[in-house]
Amino acid sequence: MKYSHQEGEIRPLYSSVPKNQCFWPWAVVGSYPLAYFYLRCILFGEAGRYRGWAMTAFAVVFLLAVEAAARVCRRTAAREMPLWAACWLALSVTLAVPGHFYFLGLVQGLAWHLLAIWCVLARFGMLAQGHTGALAPLDALAGCFTLPFGSFFARAGTVFSALRGLAVRRIGAKKWLAAMGTLVLTAVLCSFAVAQLAAADVHFAALGTWLTAMWQNFWSARLLSELFNILLSLPVGAWLFGLVYGAATGNLLLVAGQQGVFAAGAGGCRRVHVSRRGAT
């Protein structure tokens, strides 16, 4: 018999956070080009106005993605979230202005990343105090390590779940396995046939040599650099997705407990009285 919640009853946390099976696969798809753009144009991009405008474009797209995820998950934002977003966009625009010193550029780059983390936590209501305050460094640590790496493999799980559901829905599990086995067997037979034809025919061997040389020229230094950016964008995209996913599906009860502990500690500090002795 299915249990129905009574009116006015406190419901568990998991029922208040929708699963959003349709949203997160699209978020996974969007995390790949966003991570590649970050690596290609920001992290490894040349310093200058183009890098600054790339940071501005990244900030706008990332804020829109965070807002979409927050609306889908029905999360309430902190009051200062517009202020954090405005500071992040303003800093991104100022980085497009030429003439920065090297050390100042490093400090601004660090502040740019921290503002991105605080924007995410403020939008999903995951700040340790419920608002920006003395625990802002703790929020930065949670946004850098706890939330992203706690949900680091969530993107892979979402991809596999979506592919498995698509395969079962479209062609069935047995047909999917049969198709994969056919592709592997075809590749093995083709490689064996090419080797036999190259040994039997001189013209086919010359064609194989020409194709091999063209393939080696294809793997130039520029292509290897792009391949390196694509491969490195996989963990970077997983980190970005883990940050948003971890903040969107985070335990609000745990955050509320942290806020209560901090409020109790702060209240105790306010009750400490300093006694002053009069001069004798």
Side-chain angles (χ1 to χ4, degrees), residues 97 104 112 126 147 166:
V97 179
L104 181 60
W112 187 84
M126 292 293 291
L147 292 176
L166 180 63

Side-chain angles (χ1 to χ4, degrees), residues 45 60 67 87 95 99 101 109-110 152 171-172 230 232 234 242 255 261 277:
V60 171
E67 182 66 26
C87 292
L95 288 173
F101 294 103
L110 177 61
F152 190 78
I171 60 177
I230 292 174
L232 190 58
L234 297 179
V255 176
V261 171
R277 297 181 179 178

Side-chain angles (χ1 to χ4, degrees), residues 42 48 70 74 88 118 132 161-162 168 184-185 204 219 252 277:
I42 298 177
R74 302 175 185 176
W88 192 27
W118 283 324
T132 305
S161 178
V168 172
V184 173
L185 183 60
F204 197 87
W219 290 96
L252 292 177
R277 297 181 179 178

